[in-house]
């Protein structure tokens, strides 16, 4: 459930309220006293899947983009009229949990963390993954995935694609590329450090390690993991479910293979480095494609009709 707050421009008050009345929406209106071009503020609860169609309808009758629209999560709404509205939209829409396009974009932007945080967490995650691979410790490798911030950029790129938001798409794509490069560089530097300082047994053969051997090259099972992670990421994003656990799945497909590339470079194993690099490329493309397809076929489109072909 959502609580929506909209500022009503001068001359549009009756039109906006008529739309709400026709849709059977229970609302409260307060006067707007800031002296600007707005005359009132309307508050009304909506089922989650009703937010986008109602906001689109209000846009069509003149609620311009300059007007403030705030969508908040509501815990409980006690109202017979709201129950009727909820039942009505449960019949109209395929999913009761599907969030609005505007909320989807906001969530994607929020998931793509700030650059300093992203860089630090990615480097730390890659170093821990490298240590886990060299120790042949599955538990340590799993631990590295928990802190990897890779779900945000992947979802930002997918959402930017389907909504034709060039800036969001570019940010997601750049952060993904940066994350992979940082992971490989950090893993290479750490592997060289532990090798030259004899913190690992001299003569260690990385190809003999089970955790490294698993990431030598792409295969059907690794592809299934990447596609599943992309699908789960998109579903968690568009239903408002916590993306923390899904982020671990995406990190599974990217961080250990990227760390394996670094180990291959540090130990002078071109076959290992190249095979793992191909695995990273296949996984990152699979995650993005799977998320994009799920979002597109769930009905998310650009706000303007003429942007759909471009998207």
């Amino acid at each position: 459930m959502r609580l929506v707050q909209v500022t009503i421009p001068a001359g549009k008050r009756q039109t906006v309220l008529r739309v709400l009345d026709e849709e059977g929406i229970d609302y409260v209106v307060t006067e707007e006293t800031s002296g600007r071009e707005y005359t009132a503020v309307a508050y009304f609860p909506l089922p989650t899947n009703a937010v986008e169609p109602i906001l689109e309808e209000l846009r069509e009758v003149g609620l311009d983009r300059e007007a403030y629209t705030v969508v908040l999560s509501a815990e409980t709404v006690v109202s017979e009229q709201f129950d009727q509205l909820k039942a009505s939209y449960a019949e109209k829409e395929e999913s009761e949990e599907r969030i609005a396009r505007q909320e989807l974009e906001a969530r994607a932007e929020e998931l793509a963390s700030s650059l300093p945080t992203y860089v630090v967490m990615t480097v730390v995650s890659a170093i821990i993954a490298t240590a886990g691979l060299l120790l042949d410790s599955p538990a340590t490798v799993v631990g590295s995935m928990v802190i990897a911030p890779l779900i945000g950029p992947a979802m930002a790129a997918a959402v930017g694609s389907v909504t034709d938001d060039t800036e969001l798409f570019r940010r997601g794509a750049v952060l993904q590329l940066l994350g992979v490069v940082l992971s490989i560089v950090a893993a290479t530097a750490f592997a060289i450090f532990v090798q030259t300082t004899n913190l690992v047994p001299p003569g260690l053969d990385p190809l003999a390690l089970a955790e490294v051997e698993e990431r030598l090259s792409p295969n059907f099972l690794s592809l299934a993991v990447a596609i599943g992670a992309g699908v789960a990421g998109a579903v968690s994003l568009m239903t408002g479910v916590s993306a923390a656990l899904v982020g671990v799945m995406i990190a599974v497909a990217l961080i250990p293979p990227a760390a394996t590339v670094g180990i291959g470079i540090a130990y002078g194993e071109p076959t290992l480095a190249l095979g793992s690099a191909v695995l990273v490329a296949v996984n990152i493309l699979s995650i993005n494609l799977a998320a994009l397809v799920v979002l597109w076929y769930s009905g998310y489109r650009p706000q303007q009709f003429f942007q759909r072909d471009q998207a």
Side-chain angles (χ1 to χ4, degrees), residues 6-248:
V6 296
T7 50
I8 303 175
K12 297 294 181 179
R13 179 168 179 160
Q14 295 305 317
T15 304
V16 169
L17 297 185
R18 184 174 65 251
V19 169
L20 300 181
D21 287 329
E22 290 173 351
E23 292 291 336
I25 297 171
D26 197 6
Y27 59 85
V28 174
V29 179
T30 60
E31 299 300 322
E32 212 285 322
T33 59
S34 66
R36 298 178 298 170
E37 64 271 23
Y38 304 108
T39 61
V41 180
Y43 302 84
F44 48 92
L46 288 176
T48 302
N49 57 350
V51 173
E52 185 171 352
I54 294 300
L55 291 183
E56 292 295 337
E57 193 169 350
L58 292 176
R59 290 274 185 260
E60 291 175 2
V61 299
L63 191 68
D64 54 30
R65 292 184 60 83
E66 286 70 29
Y68 282 101
T69 301
V70 181
V71 181
L72 303 173
S73 179
E75 294 294 332
T76 305
V77 177
V78 181
S79 167
E80 291 185 5
Q81 190 169 350
F82 179 80
D83 291 339
Q84 295 173 3
L85 181 67
K86 186 177 180 180
S88 172
Y89 273 90
E91 296 175 358
K92 293 180 183 179
E93 302 291 337
E94 294 182 358
S95 172
E96 295 184 20
E97 297 182 343
R98 182 183 182 275
I99 64 176
R101 185 195 68 253
Q102 297 87 344
E103 193 173 349
L104 181 79
E105 291 179 300
R107 284 179 179 272
E109 291 175 359
E110 185 179 350
L111 277 176
S113 55
S114 63
L115 185 59
T117 301
Y118 181 76
V119 169
V120 171
M121 296 299 284
T122 301
V123 169
V124 171
S125 175
I127 291 174
I128 295 174
T130 306
L133 292 169
L134 292 174
L135 289 169
D136 206 16
S137 169
T140 306
V141 175
V142 171
S144 71
M145 303 167 192
V146 176
I147 62 174
L150 299 179
I151 183 173
M155 294 304 103
V159 172
S161 297
V162 299
T163 61
D164 194 34
D165 187 332
T166 304
E167 183 178 349
L168 183 61
F169 167 77
R170 185 182 295 114
R171 183 184 179 197
V174 169
L175 283 179
Q176 286 183 88
L177 180 60
L178 176 63
V180 170
V181 172
L182 280 174
S183 298
I184 294 174
V185 171
T188 302
F190 182 73
I192 291 174
F193 170 75
V194 297
Q195 186 182 19
T196 55
T197 55
N198 293 322
L199 295 177
V200 293
L204 174 69
D205 181 8
L207 294 174
L209 301 173
E211 286 295 307
V212 173
E213 188 179 6
E214 289 180 10
R215 297 165 176 93
L216 281 175
S217 62
N219 55 53
F220 176 78
L221 295 180
S222 63
L223 181 63
V225 170
I227 292 175
V231 171
V235 171
S236 70
L237 189 65
M238 69 186 186
T239 57
V241 177
S242 173
L245 293 178
V246 180
V248 175

